[in-house]
Amino acid sequence: NAGVMQNPRHLVRRRGQEARLRCSPMKGHSHVYWYRQLPEEGLKFMVYLQKENIIDESGMPKERFSAEFPKEGPSILRIQQVVRGDSAAYFCASSPGFSLNEKLFFGSGTQLSVL
Amino acid sequence: GQNIDQPTEMTATEGAIVQINCTYQTSGFNGLFWYQQHAGEAPTFLSYNVLDGLEEKGRFSSFLSRSKGYSYLLLKELQMKDSASYLCAVFTGGGNKLTFGTGTQLKVEL
């Protein structure tokens, strides 16, 4: 009974490197969401994807950040040329996609630390 | 813009009752969620309100007033394990975009 799986749990990168965060949604879920959480702050929406489509990327920085959810395999959040300000917890959530306003199921997050 | 306000932190005693308030001013409203998040862990679903009134689920209840842009989460018979951050979140606009408040850090003491 796997829930939303994220890996790695912790990721350390040096400034200028690339970070790849992976998210496998719950079985049967076709909608994926990425959120970022900074210390003492709330979860900030980044991007909402369905299989092979980006539905809403209004919360994602225009540069260096990209996301995909391919037909096969996990969703990937990619951060190029990381900077210290990218250090945060990145959470992925999924929902079935049957209707609007569905409950989101969250993964345990990836803690990204940029040195 | 979207604005969701909740107190930053609260302290309560084991066995007591605590009410965590949330007010929101959003463009569009399609329902309000409460999530619980322990430090370093995934947020977990507690409750969902889309109509005015009280939803009760065991020790947890959630209330919504759409006309006032107001909700609260009520926790009864507090236990030490209830110490966590409680997140208020609103579905805004179309689709499934969930906007979160900054969370209320609840500390339960003996």
Side-chain angles (χ1 to χ4, degrees):
Chain A
N1 183 21
V4 178
M5 303 300 291
Q6 289 188 249
N7 69 82
R9 193 82 165 86
H10 300 277
L11 182 61
V12 179
R13 285 288 178 265
R14 295 188 184 281
R15 280 179 297 169
Q17 292 184 319
E18 178 179 285
R20 280 182 177 245
L21 288 62
R22 293 174 186 78
C23 170
S24 296
M26 284 183 71
K27 189 176 180 180
H29 286 192
S30 61
H31 291 200
V32 165
Y33 314 77
W34 285 93
Y35 283 80
R36 177 164 62 178
Q37 188 174 40
L38 293 166
E40 312 301 324
E41 293 189 16
L43 288 158
K44 301 293 185 190
F45 169 81
M46 297 182 74
V47 62
Y48 163 36
L49 310 103
Q50 296 175 19
K51 283 283 187 183
E52 301 183 277
N53 284 307
I54 296 175
I55 306 303
D56 184 344
E57 56 182 347
S58 58
M60 200 154 68
K62 296 281 188 288
E63 297 179 356
R64 302 188 299 108
F65 285 73
S66 62
E68 62 177 10
F69 188 18
K71 187 176 180 181
E72 302 290 339
S75 175
I76 305 287
L77 179 67
R78 183 183 178 206
I79 311 172
Q80 295 178 291
Q81 299 170 358
V82 295
V83 300
R84 289 223 172 101
D86 297 333
S87 295
Y90 291 83
F91 287 93
C92 169
S94 72
S95 68
F98 298 138
S99 63
L100 296 178
N101 312 332
E102 293 173 328
K103 177 172 65 175
L104 302 189
F105 294 82
F106 282 84
S108 297
T110 294
Q111 181 64 53
L112 173 64
S113 299
V114 179
L115 304 179
Chain B
Q2 321 294 2
N3 195 33
I4 300 174
D5 287 319
Q6 24 178 161
T8 304
E9 52 186 35
M10 299 181 71
T11 302
T13 306
E14 189 179 34
I17 299 173
V18 71
Q19 177 174 313
I20 303 174
N21 296 323
C22 172
T23 57
Y24 62 90
Q25 295 167 311
T26 57
S27 55
F29 177 86
N30 290 305
L32 186 144
F33 286 81
W34 284 95
Y35 278 82
Q36 180 192 61
Q37 186 180 24
H38 287 96
E41 296 183 13
T44 54
F45 169 80
L46 290 177
S47 68
Y48 172 59
N49 295 70
V50 65
L51 299 176
D52 287 358
L54 188 68
E55 294 282 341
E56 296 187 79
K57 190 184 294 186
R59 294 191 299 115
F60 294 77
S61 303
S62 58
F63 171 83
L64 175 67
S65 168
R66 294 185 62 165
S67 61
K68 294 180 179 174
Y70 168 68
S71 172
Y72 67 72
L73 180 69
L74 194 70
L75 293 79
K76 303 175 187 174
E77 300 169 13
L78 281 172
Q79 302 174 10
M80 298 298 288
K81 67 178 183 179
D82 296 329
S83 293
S85 183
Y86 290 86
L87 312 176
C88 174
V90 175
F91 264 131
T92 57
N96 282 15
K97 183 175 176 177
L98 198 56
T99 302
F100 283 83
T102 54
T104 298
Q105 186 65 45
L106 174 66
K107 183 179 179 183
V108 180
E109 300 178 327
L110 291 171

